[in-house]
Amino acid sequence: MNSNIIQHITSCRLPTEYGVFQMHGFVDTRSNQEHTALVMGDVADGNAVLSRIHSECLTGDALFSQKCDCGAQLQAAMQAVQAEGRGVIVYLRQEGRGIGLINKIRAYALQDQGLDTVEANLALGLPVDARDFSIAKYIYEHLGVQSVRLLTNNPEKIQTLRDCGIEIVERIPLKVGENPENIGYLNTKADKLHHLLKD
């Protein structure tokens, strides 16, 4: 593991509605950004591990916003890991596709005026998606994870991880959380960001 990139700081037991996880705290030494991983079962036994790489979404994960499907995806991933009794959820602190909470709220305001998520970011002079999924590689290495069965709809995430040398043996769709408020958002993810949401 490249200890110059990621440092494991501490761990604790985390009982949740979806079972008991071991929670690990990491710091990315390049950005000083804090990340976490929720682990259930033995994930270092050499077998492919059920995993979700989830980017922080305060509005969806904690405030139950219906503008996105993020909270539903996180809950579905935790349920899937619980059902299997083994897995890893890497939680990356990359709010608003990496633009931060305040800019995300600004983008939401533009969406209220009719722009889609891509148009809103661009109107603010921000990247469409500034997230860096490569940090997951170093978290996986620390945990002893060698290959994953990835819960995702995002082909860019898959490609980034493969480019980093992470073996993805299976992609598992995560189509949850659709509601009348986020239909346009989901269509934009499918049509402009090429997320695998349509049959």
Side-chain angles (χ1 to χ4, degrees):
M1 182 178 68
N2 189 341
S3 59
N4 293 326
I5 300 288
I6 187 77
Q7 288 185 353
H8 179 263
I9 305 301
T10 191
S11 302
C12 71
R13 177 179 173 273
L14 185 72
T16 77
E17 181 180 342
Y18 307 105
V20 178
F21 290 83
Q22 189 75 8
M23 184 176 189
H24 298 270
F26 299 90
V27 171
D28 182 337
T29 60
R30 300 166 299 182
S31 64
N32 209 35
Q33 190 69 56
E34 299 172 347
H35 305 288
T36 188
L38 303 181
V39 177
M40 183 177 288
D42 181 4
V43 298
D45 61 3
N47 295 314
V49 176
L50 182 66
S51 185
R52 163 91 181 148
I53 298 174
H54 189 87
S55 295
E56 178 181 44
C57 177
L58 176 70
T59 49
D61 297 342
L63 302 178
F64 315 109
S65 168
Q66 293 194 330
K67 281 182 173 281
C68 65
D69 57 344
C70 302
Q73 287 187 320
L74 178 59
Q75 291 171 24
M78 293 179 76
Q79 287 174 331
V81 169
Q82 179 187 39
E84 190 146 316
R86 175 177 177 268
V88 176
I89 297 171
V90 176
Y91 195 93
L92 300 179
R93 306 293 303 282
Q94 304 185 125
E95 180 72 50
R97 293 201 189 116
I99 64 172
L101 180 60
I102 297 301
N103 281 329
K104 178 181 178 178
I105 296 170
R106 291 186 176 116
Y108 272 179
L110 292 176
Q111 290 168 46
D112 289 341
Q113 298 172 27
L115 275 63
D116 66 32
T117 56
V118 169
E119 293 165 345
N121 279 26
L122 293 176
L124 291 169
L126 300 169
V128 172
D129 194 338
R131 293 176 293 180
D132 177 10
F133 300 115
S134 67
I135 193 64
K137 166 188 171 67
Y138 305 105
I139 293 175
Y140 282 146
E141 285 180 355
H142 176 84
L143 298 173
V145 173
Q146 298 177 15
S147 60
V148 296
R149 295 161 46 232
L150 196 65
L151 289 152
T152 189
N153 305 317
N154 186 345
E156 183 179 337
K157 185 183 295 183
I158 295 168
Q159 189 58 54
T160 298
L161 297 180
R162 285 183 170 151
D163 289 346
C164 290
I166 296 170
E167 182 184 6
I168 301 172
V169 301
E170 181 183 7
R171 180 191 79 87
I172 301 172
L174 203 55
K175 297 180 183 180
V176 294
E178 181 178 314
N179 66 74
E181 291 284 347
N182 68 15
I183 293 298
Y185 165 84
L186 295 176
N187 286 337
T188 298
K189 286 213 294 187
D191 296 338
K192 293 189 175 182
L193 302 175
H194 311 297
H195 286 211
L196 306 170
L197 291 168
K198 296 184 177 180
D199 295 330

